[in-house]
Amino acid sequence: MKGNLAGRLASAFLDSKLTPLLMAAALGVGVWTLATMASEEEPQIIVPLADLYLPLPGAQPEEVENRLLIPLETVLQGVEGVEYVYSHAEPGFGLVTVRYEVGRDMEESLVRLYSTLMKHMDRMPAGFMAPLVKTVTIDDVPFFTATLRSGELSPDELRSLADEVRVSLESVPEVRNVEVTGGEPREIRVELLPDRLAEYGVDPAWVAERLASANVRSDAGEFTRGGEVVKVVAGPFLESADDVRRVVLDVRDGALVQVEDLARVVDGPGEITQYAFHTDAAGGWTPMVAIAVSKRPGADATAVGRALEARLHEVEETLIPGNVTTQVVRNYGETAREKVVTLQEHLLMAILAVGLVVALTMGWRAAVVVMMAVPVTFALTLFVYQIFGYTLNRVTLFALIFVTGIVIDDSIIVAENMERHFAMRDRPLRAAARAAVDEVGNPTILATLTVIAAVLPMLFVGGLMGPYMSPMPIGATVAMLFSLGVALIITPWLAFKLLKGAHGGSEGHGGEGGGYVLEDTRIYTIYRRFMEPLLDKPIRLWGSMAVVVLLLLGAGSMFLTRTVSMKMLPFDDKNEIQVILDLPEGTPLETTLAVAQDVGRAATTLPEVADVQLYAERGALQLQRDDPPLLPAPGEHRGRRAGEPRGQGGAERPEPRRGAGAAAPRTAGTWEPG
């Protein structure tokens, strides 16, 4: 008999030496993929987003809106791919956020944004300064945070130490950005003396201008001397407080007027603009600085997190003194690894549960045949995931758990039918194997395509949920296709090697037949015992159907009545919680600190709380995004979808993060020593 496609495919690989090699190669590819595939907590979602910081000095919020934001919104909404445009007006400042459609190419979107801005620069109002464009991606969120605290060192000493640690952590491969929060960096501060300014008749703006012009280093040309070319450099940068003191401001009656004649120059920590403290169950507050690290896109969060911890241990032995305590307060690489390991354990449990059921119904030989289909299928599926650029996260692994019971169906059908044909003993075993696969091949292919047709539409879901859940339909589709191939190629070969021994082990003509009677099998007997009473009387049949319908309706009503929680993914159990205090504008920083400390003391009374970190002025969210300098009191604030008429935009951009309180203004004329 010629047979169909499934039978011919199984027959071709039944005696082939390539079949075990293909199985070994698939498992090897899976091991390599698991060893090299990056692991993260969540899948990467590409949402091109950029903030445009637009300075317009001296303008009121209404003027910023009418002269700057409204024309710019109209221009930006015409850019291809822009979905939302949000704007925010401040005195002398405008902020515009441009969000593209989900899935747009990041580089292409930024190029279009820049080209559009440059094209319309001639339409900007007088006094407008060059805009600052900053992209925002998921990789800007720090995944690793460490703190340094000490009861003996001052905040500025901790900040100086943290800056040295930052340099060391920046050298770790795949690190994108390292930021230090807490303390105050060293600065040279010029504190002008009003009486001396009045005595000399000097304008403070003139002092700032002269200092800016003195803090410049430039090439002043070159000349030839003694057969050599000598380059002339004018003016080094101001590097110390003495350099600043000796800057000449003017000449009066043949005498030099220097900065030290008009001001007090202080070399030390900057004015306090933020506080960072740590406390434990004892309740004492200790000065602290935090070091936040973000990784490069696509980097393995687990590997980078472990490398950062190793580097931190190295600097503890060589750089950090003994009176400073270091603590890793956030390492999402380890939490990602914990989730991945947990899901892998659940995946293994699912495979073993399926194997146990098969072993109880068909025997251990059939269980081995069926269970081998799962690692081969998943190994190839993970390889395809890596080719598509996916990482090992809870969505990709959840997709594998979701299809575990489905991918094994094809192999169960083929293995069970082969065992039945072997037990019949009415033909040679090879012929029985070919006939068994040929008999169920077309239904198996049809069932596989039906499952694919059911899950594939999920791939076309729009919005943020679409790319987030895309590993589900892609993984299920790829796994089903591979499981079909395994069921038609590897499963017949394994079943022929293992199951024939359970039914005589002969490859001859199989005797006279009659070795298999369906009615005598245990599973048929049990099934018949339950089904015959239902089929004998219509009232029992319809009663059982009514019970099934009632159970179905009851299960569906749980979602409507909120008897069970409706959630796409399990709750994310983090070992941290953030409390953000948004005090009224103008609240002194010290008042903000006092309120935050009261909240911290209340938190330490909870038995579940191990310690508390406090950030005043730059709240916890500031560790997750590098914002511009603190803005004045918020002005008009709105946001709307691209293409909507003005006044119909329902989505608003959150206010720029201002931390937990107002900051004391810095003194004009400060430098970080060069």
Side-chain angles (χ1 to χ4, degrees):
M1 183 175 62
K2 184 176 181 181
N4 55 31
L5 175 62
R8 294 197 301 271
L9 188 62
S11 178
F13 285 92
L14 195 62
D15 298 317
S16 176
K17 300 295 190 297
L18 293 176
T19 307
L21 294 178
L22 290 175
M23 183 171 60
L27 295 175
V29 166
V31 172
W32 176 81
T33 302
L34 282 176
T36 59
M37 196 172 183
S39 60
E40 295 178 311
E41 287 198 58
E42 308 291 348
Q44 293 286 337
I45 304 176
I46 300 177
V47 185
L49 183 72
D51 285 341
L52 280 66
Y53 304 111
L54 311 168
L56 190 62
Q60 294 301 313
E62 295 78 7
E63 187 178 3
V64 172
E65 177 194 1
N66 295 322
R67 298 182 58 197
L68 183 61
L69 297 183
I70 292 178
L72 189 59
E73 284 181 5
T74 304
V75 170
L76 295 177
Q77 287 170 358
V79 179
E80 181 183 355
V82 171
E83 186 174 15
Y84 287 100
V85 178
Y86 309 88
S87 62
H88 179 81
E90 297 276 349
F93 185 86
L95 174 63
V96 175
T97 297
V98 180
R99 196 184 102 183
Y100 282 79
E101 297 171 351
V102 178
R104 286 275 179 172
D105 182 79
M106 177 68 76
E107 287 74 17
E108 180 182 351
S109 301
L110 293 179
V111 169
R112 288 181 177 176
L113 180 60
Y114 272 102
S115 62
T116 303
L117 285 175
M118 295 301 103
K119 180 180 178 180
H120 294 86
M121 284 296 291
D122 58 334
R123 298 176 56 182
M124 297 301 173
F128 174 74
M129 301 175 64
L132 173 63
V133 180
K134 299 187 68 174
T135 59
V136 182
T137 66
I138 187 64
D139 293 293
D140 293 326
V141 179
F143 80 105
F144 182 94
T145 303
T147 60
L148 306 179
R149 65 178 187 271
S150 173
E152 301 178 15
L153 300 183
S154 62
D156 58 288
E157 291 174 327
L158 283 174
R159 175 64 180 247
S160 178
L161 180 61
D163 286 333
E164 297 183 28
V165 176
R166 173 182 58 82
V167 174
S168 179
L169 296 182
E170 285 176 338
S171 63
V172 175
E174 303 296 341
V175 167
R176 181 178 185 177
N177 188 34
V178 182
E179 294 183 0
V180 178
T181 301
E184 293 297 331
R186 177 194 172 201
E187 67 179 22
I188 299 175
R189 187 169 62 255
V190 179
E191 299 177 351
L192 299 175
L193 303 176
D195 54 340
R196 304 303 298 272
L197 290 175
E199 178 183 347
Y200 282 91
V202 176
D203 187 358
W206 169 250
V207 178
E209 182 179 348
R210 291 295 299 164
L211 287 172
S213 61
N215 190 37
V216 174
R217 181 175 182 174
S218 61
D219 295 332
E222 60 184 35
F223 64 92
T224 303
R225 183 181 65 184
E228 294 181 350
V229 177
V230 179
K231 292 184 177 295
V232 180
V233 178
F237 293 109
L238 302 176
E239 297 182 354
S240 66
D242 290 336
D243 292 342
V244 177
R245 294 188 184 98
R246 290 194 294 267
V247 173
V248 177
L249 301 176
D250 201 356
V251 179
R252 301 288 177 88
D253 300 328
L256 300 178
V257 179
Q258 298 176 313
V259 171
E260 62 183 355
D261 298 325
L262 305 176
R264 181 170 57 250
V265 181
V266 180
D267 185 355
E271 294 185 7
I272 296 176
T273 60
Q274 56 182 331
Y275 288 104
F277 289 98
H278 173 275
T279 186
D280 51 22
W285 295 100
T286 306
M288 176 195 74
V289 293
I291 306 173
V293 184
S294 58
K295 66 179 183 65
R296 294 178 181 175
D300 191 328
T302 301
V304 179
R306 290 177 177 175
L308 289 170
E309 285 191 350
R311 181 61 56 86
L312 194 60
H313 290 320
E314 292 178 6
V315 298
E316 280 181 337
E317 300 175 355
T318 58
L319 180 63
I320 300 176
N323 58 354
V324 176
T325 302
T326 63
Q327 180 183 5
V328 177
V329 297
R330 174 188 298 173
N331 186 354
Y332 286 168
E334 285 302 317
T335 58
R337 171 55 57 183
E338 292 174 3
K339 289 182 174 61
V340 168
V341 171
T342 301
L343 288 171
Q344 288 175 344
E345 293 174 352
H346 292 172
L347 181 60
L348 180 60
M349 292 171 58
I351 296 173
L352 293 177
V354 172
L356 179 62
V357 173
V358 175
L360 294 176
T361 56
M362 298 173 57
W364 69 269
R365 297 173 185 266
V368 172
V369 173
V370 171
M371 289 179 63
M372 281 302 298
V374 178
V376 174
T377 300
F378 286 172
L380 297 174
T381 304
L382 288 175
F383 181 66
V384 173
Y385 269 147
Q386 192 171 39
I387 292 177
F388 285 170
Y390 289 111
T391 58
L392 202 62
N393 52 70
R394 61 176 181 169
V395 176
T396 53
L397 286 173
F398 181 74
L400 297 183
I401 296 177
F402 169 72
V403 299
T404 299
I406 302 176
V407 300
I408 212 169
D409 284 346
D410 295 347
S411 296
I412 290 177
I413 293 172
V414 173
E416 191 278 333
N417 204 46
M418 288 182 65
E419 184 185 39
R420 184 175 68 86
H421 275 265
F422 289 163
M424 291 171 62
R425 302 178 185 176
D426 59 349
R427 67 186 75 185
L429 293 182
R430 278 188 173 81
R434 298 188 187 101
V437 178
D438 189 76
E439 187 176 53
V440 297
N442 287 339
T444 302
I445 296 174
L446 181 60
T448 302
L449 296 179
T450 302
V451 174
I452 293 176
V455 300
L456 197 58
M458 192 186 300
L459 185 62
F460 304 100
V461 175
L464 289 173
M465 187 54 67
Y468 184 84
M469 299 302 297
S470 62
M472 292 283 291
I474 291 178
T477 300
V478 172
M480 288 302 300
L481 292 176
F482 280 131
S483 71
L484 180 61
V486 170
L488 299 181
I489 295 175
I490 295 178
T491 299
W493 181 84
L494 280 173
F496 182 74
K497 298 295 182 183
L498 294 178
L499 298 183
K500 67 180 183 180
H503 301 283
S506 173
E507 298 186 19
H509 290 279
E512 300 180 357
Y516 177 85
V517 179
L518 177 62
E519 288 76 8
D520 294 339
T521 58
R522 181 176 57 183
I523 190 171
Y524 181 85
T525 304
I526 297 175
Y527 182 77
R528 182 177 180 179
R529 185 178 302 171
F530 279 97
M531 290 302 298
E532 277 192 348
L534 297 178
L535 299 176
D536 287 344
K537 295 184 178 181
I539 189 173
R540 294 179 181 176
L541 176 61
W542 291 108
S544 60
M545 293 294 294
V547 171
V548 172
V549 171
L550 289 176
L551 291 175
L552 179 61
L553 294 176
S557 65
M558 290 183 178
F559 298 99
L560 299 177
T561 60
R562 300 292 177 135
T563 305
V564 295
S565 299
M566 297 177 60
K567 201 170 185 297
M568 180 67 70
L569 294 173
F571 287 101
D572 195 9
D573 188 11
K574 294 287 187 183
N575 60 352
E576 63 184 49
I577 184 172
Q578 295 179 352
V579 179
I580 302 174
L581 306 178
D582 187 12
L583 273 69
E585 295 291 339
T587 302
L589 181 59
E590 289 69 22
T591 303
T592 302
L593 175 64
V595 174
Q597 287 180 332
D598 290 340
V599 175
R601 293 189 189 96
T604 56
T605 60
L606 301 175
E608 298 84 2
V609 174
D611 51 35
V612 175
Q613 281 117 35
L614 181 151
Y615 303 89
E617 187 269 326
R618 288 178 65 89
L621 285 178
Q622 287 286 344
L623 291 177
Q624 300 180 4
R625 181 171 169 187
D626 184 16
D627 276 343
L630 297 179
L631 306 177
E636 182 179 350
H637 179 205
R638 66 193 182 282
R640 57 194 174 97
R641 194 182 187 96
E644 288 181 348
R646 295 187 60 81
Q648 294 185 10
E652 291 194 354
R653 183 187 191 276
E655 292 185 8
R657 298 188 180 104
R658 300 180 53 86
R666 287 183 178 272
T667 304
T670 61
W671 296 270
E672 291 189 6

